[in-house]
Amino acid sequence: MTNTTAPDTTMITVQQTARPTGFPTPDLFSFVESPVPAPEPGTALVENLQWSVDPYHREAMDSDELWTLNSPMEGRTLGRVLDSRDPALRPGDLVLHRKGWRTHALVSKDETRPVPDFEGVPLAAHLSLLGGTGLSAYVGLTRIARLQPGEDLFVSAAAGGVGTAAGRLARLLGAGRLVGSAGSARKVAHLTEEVGFDAAFDYHDGPVAELLAKAAPEGLDAVLDGVGGEHLEAAIDSLRPHGRIAWVGAVGQYHSLSAPPPAPRNLFDVVGKSIRLEGFLVRDHTDALEELYDLAVPHLRSGALPLDVTVVEGFGHIVEAFLGMLRGENLGKMLVAA
């Protein structure tokens, strides 16, 4: 791997060099050095400070449309403007943008969003609870699953970034019984002891449908599912009539070497129980961000709403952080800090 202690005159980008077969490996990535570019009219040079590595990046690794081989990869990041030839972007400004996986980026105003000045709120919140991760949870709960106070909720992959955000926000929204699945005893303990879940289970401990039925013996009203497959099937089993499922991802099939897991065998119960199953992309709901701020920021400031983040220090470790996130080594959102 390239030494990432290069001087500020050098920009380092991470590029994908080949498509994965099954679980990604470090040799599929290359650290490429080039001179830091100078901004042209209408652009600004940003030094990136924090990077988000996300489950959807695994899907992007398979797609020519999302990540082009031997080109800089992209992802959510937070940076500081160093130099600018656009008066709307001033040196020193903190901005959010999608030209991640690199130490520096040239951006236009339309490609950035200012980091809100929320005194007392850590910067990491803007890539976790107040970023696309938290917005996915908020939109899934409020707009798709339409969670009402007192209703019982199941969150799959609950110890990850979206899952922990969903648990925290569901409590603020007045959820009733809160149940989550996770991939280890350590994560189960984090959910019940720290995040506020009433019950959680390790999905390795048996059939998910049986584990969920035991954790929610009286059934569920709503589900936020990011796994698919067996988890989605179990959710349909446990939902009461007129239940709602917000489907945000399918991490259970991202590394499949052959065919993806079969669709839930009980799909017709969606009809029999009058269940609503809806998938969504958070990019279609950016107008909900102010609602999320209104709900979460006061509690972040007071300390009543902790951040669930795992921070890896050093841009040179971004590939390790990404692969570690895919292996489930993180509690909450996985971030990389300069």
Side-chain angles (χ1 to χ4, degrees), residues 29-234:
F29 303 88
S30 176
F31 285 73
V32 179
E33 292 187 0
S34 61
V36 171
E40 300 175 351
T43 68
L45 174 66
V46 173
E47 178 186 25
N48 292 330
L49 304 175
Q50 294 183 2
W51 299 263
S52 172
V53 290
D54 296 290
Y56 81 86
H57 289 163
R58 172 61 187 87
E59 189 176 11
M61 291 189 72
D62 293 329
S63 171
D64 292 327
E65 295 180 3
L66 297 177
W67 277 358
T68 304
L69 293 182
N70 302 306
S71 297
M73 292 151 57
E74 298 204 2
R76 299 183 181 107
T77 190
L78 184 154
R80 179 181 290 110
V81 175
L82 293 181
D83 190 11
S84 177
R85 296 192 65 185
D86 184 335
L89 295 168
R90 300 167 300 176
D93 285 352
L94 293 173
V95 295
L96 295 157
H97 62 91
R98 297 191 66 86
K99 293 187 176 180
W101 292 80
R102 64 196 85 182
T103 56
H104 300 76
L106 283 181
V107 297
S108 66
K109 178 179 180 298
D110 292 341
E111 294 173 321
T112 67
R113 183 165 56 83
V115 175
D117 184 14
F118 295 142
E119 185 178 355
V121 174
L123 285 182
H126 297 287
L127 287 177
S128 56
L129 193 62
L130 299 181
T133 298
L135 189 61
S136 294
Y138 178 80
V139 167
L141 294 177
T142 62
R143 295 191 172 186
I144 311 301
R146 300 177 190 176
L147 183 70
Q148 300 300 308
E151 289 190 326
D152 300 326
L153 173 73
F154 169 56
V155 180
S156 66
V162 173
T164 51
R168 302 279 189 190
L169 295 175
R171 278 286 170 247
L172 295 180
L173 293 167
R177 185 167 178 79
L178 190 55
V179 178
S181 69
S184 69
R186 168 176 170 256
K187 291 186 173 185
V188 167
H190 180 72
L191 292 176
T192 56
E193 296 171 10
E194 302 294 336
V195 183
F197 281 75
D198 295 292
F201 58 85
D202 181 345
Y203 62 82
H204 297 105
D205 287 345
V208 176
E210 294 179 10
L211 296 169
L212 180 56
K214 182 178 179 180
E218 297 183 6
L220 300 161
D221 300 295
V223 173
L224 183 69
D225 179 39
V227 179
E230 190 180 2
H231 277 75
L232 183 57
E233 183 174 293

Side-chain angles (χ1 to χ4, degrees), residues 290-322:
E290 292 297 329
E291 297 174 22
L292 174 61
Y293 289 164
D294 290 343
L295 174 66
V297 168
H299 299 284
L300 284 166
R301 282 176 165 157
S302 72
L305 182 58
L307 288 184
D308 297 280
V309 293
T310 298
V311 180
V312 174
E313 298 290 343
F315 177 76
H317 299 292
I318 190 169
V319 171
E320 298 165 40
F322 171 56

